[in-house]
Amino acid sequence: HAKESGASVTFFHSDMLEKAQQRFNIEQDLGYALELNQLSLVYQPICKGENVLHFESLLRWQHPEIGAISPMTFIPIAEDTNQIHIIGRWVLAQVCQLLGYWQAQSNDFNYPGITVNVSAKQLVSPAFISFVETLIKQNNITPYKLGLEITESTLMEDEQASAQALQSLRKAGVRLYLDDFGTGYSSLSLLGEYVFDVIKIDRHFITNVTDSDKSSTKLCAAMIQLARTLEMDVVAEGVETEEQLEWLTHQGDVSIQGYLKSRPLPVEDLIHWHPACKMP
Ligand code: C2E
Ligand code: CA
Ligand code: CA
Ligand code: CA
């Protein structure tokens, strides 16, 4: 190993080199993760009162040597290497299949929807819209049961192409969620376009809401008011305590997502949340 071969090596044996090496392995291994069945989806309830309205689908990667790798680590790598396209298509296909199954099983449309996180590169890729439309048709889904979560930073990357994609998705009838609201630069101008059905207030605003002196608390209250004025639904992310829940309930009509209600769950556990959510 390089460590033994001399004093100057210390420089090369830096954290950066190790990180690059690690990244290289992760990058390579990610290429096989799908076919080796290492990727899976978990689903976190988004609730109104005691009822689940939607689930957010979240990727998990179980690496054979490293163990669980967070999507915060591997999604940015997948985006850089363009692996996000194949992974993202897999996620969408899984979710649409599940929705199709629930729909086929239920006599009415009384079952929860599912949201999918969409990266910038996916959103502006030319084949994305038709891929979504095809999945909706193939699986015989009511389009509004599928939600797409898009962050502000995503939209900033290619504003024009994103705006066009959003219009097409809107026509296709899927629900559009503005994710991590309040963390970007253009929050207000994005709302002016009226394309989003729902805003998700970022967890960092929720953390402090029980402290009435904090500016984040006032901002949070104002964001909820704003959404109401624009007739959009609101989801509060990362709700962990009864106190936060109480504060949010007091603000009015806010959907709740967070560990207080439930951690993200494997598909076989969803039935406990809604009788229509059977495992295929
Ligand atoms: P996000 O879209 O903001 O997802 C919410 C994250 O907050 C999830 O982390 C979720 O497990 C976590 N969370 C939920 N409730 C709580 C809570 O009460 N407290 C705390 N501290 N955290 C909570 P996760 O699953 O690690 O995902 C991280 C990020 O990775 C996501 O952030 C999203 O940006 C990205 N991601 C996950 N799955 C996908 C995917 O399928 N496609 C894409 N493009 N990105 C994904
Ligand atoms: Ca999200
Ligand atoms: Ca979020
Ligand atoms: Ca977030």
Side-chain angles (χ1 to χ4, degrees), residues 3-143:
K3 222 173 192 168
E4 274 97 47
S5 55
S8 61
V9 194
T10 326
F11 171 72
F12 295 102
H13 195 80
S14 66
D15 270 6
M16 260 168 76
L17 186 66
E18 220 166 282
K19 279 222 178 84
Q21 181 68 40
Q22 209 176 32
R23 183 186 161 120
F24 180 68
N25 287 333
I26 287 183
E27 204 174 299
Q28 257 190 350
D29 294 351
L30 192 54
Y32 298 101
L34 257 184
E35 43 182 307
L36 295 177
N37 271 323
Q38 294 166 1
L39 297 186
S40 61
L41 286 170
V42 287
Y43 301 87
Q44 189 176 32
I46 301 173
C47 301
K48 266 279 167 68
E50 295 307 305
N51 300 318
V52 60
L53 288 183
H54 307 271
F55 295 99
E56 177 177 19
S57 65
L58 294 159
L59 260 172
R60 293 294 177 260
W61 181 13
Q62 188 65 30
H63 189 284
E65 284 122 40
I66 304 173
I69 302 178
S70 162
M72 308 263 255
T73 305
F74 72 81
I75 292 287
I77 295 173
E79 286 169 346
D80 285 354
T81 57
N82 282 323
Q83 287 163 313
I84 192 65
H85 293 292
I86 188 163
I87 293 172
R89 280 198 292 271
W90 179 81
V91 172
L92 270 167
Q94 293 284 305
V95 164
C96 288
Q97 262 172 41
L98 188 56
L99 280 173
Y101 182 76
W102 290 350
Q103 182 147 326
Q105 297 286 307
S106 72
N107 303 318
D108 47 30
F109 293 106
N110 178 29
Y111 60 92
I114 305 178
T115 70
V116 171
N117 290 287
V118 176
S119 295
K121 276 197 175 164
Q122 285 177 276
L123 184 67
V124 300
S125 104
F128 182 71
I129 311 292
S130 60
F131 185 74
V132 171
E133 286 172 334
T134 304
L135 280 175
I136 287 173
K137 275 204 199 93
Q138 268 176 358
N139 294 284
N140 212 7
I141 297 168
T142 309

Side-chain angles (χ1 to χ4, degrees), residues 56 58 115 117 149 151 179-180 200 237:
E56 177 177 19
L58 294 159
T115 70
N117 290 287
E149 299 199 6
T151 64
D179 201 359
D180 297 350
K200 297 188 77 171
E237 290 190 320

Side-chain angles (χ1 to χ4, degrees), residues 178-197:
L178 183 52
D179 201 359
D180 297 350
F181 185 70
T183 60
Y185 300 105
S186 56
S187 311
L188 290 179
S189 59
L190 282 172
L191 293 184
E193 313 286 328
Y194 287 109
V195 287
F196 289 98
D197 303 284

Side-chain angles (χ1 to χ4, degrees), residues 197-259:
D197 303 284
V198 187
I199 66 168
K200 297 188 77 171
I201 299 179
D202 194 69
R203 168 166 92 239
H204 296 102
F205 291 99
I206 308 301
T207 313
N208 293 316
V209 289
T210 44
D211 185 343
S212 58
D213 290 339
K214 282 253 160 68
S215 65
S216 61
T217 303
K218 290 166 191 157
L219 277 172
C220 194
M223 285 192 273
I224 293 167
Q225 284 296 330
L226 183 63
R228 187 168 304 136
T229 307
L230 298 173
E231 294 176 326
M232 297 163 96
D233 290 333
V234 182
V235 176
E237 290 190 320
V239 180
E240 293 182 347
T241 68
E242 288 291 347
E243 290 73 27
Q244 291 164 354
L245 176 64
E246 202 175 303
W247 185 89
L248 287 160
T249 308
H250 189 73
Q251 303 302 305
D253 202 15
V254 177
S255 302
I256 304 295
Q257 178 178 10
Y259 296 161

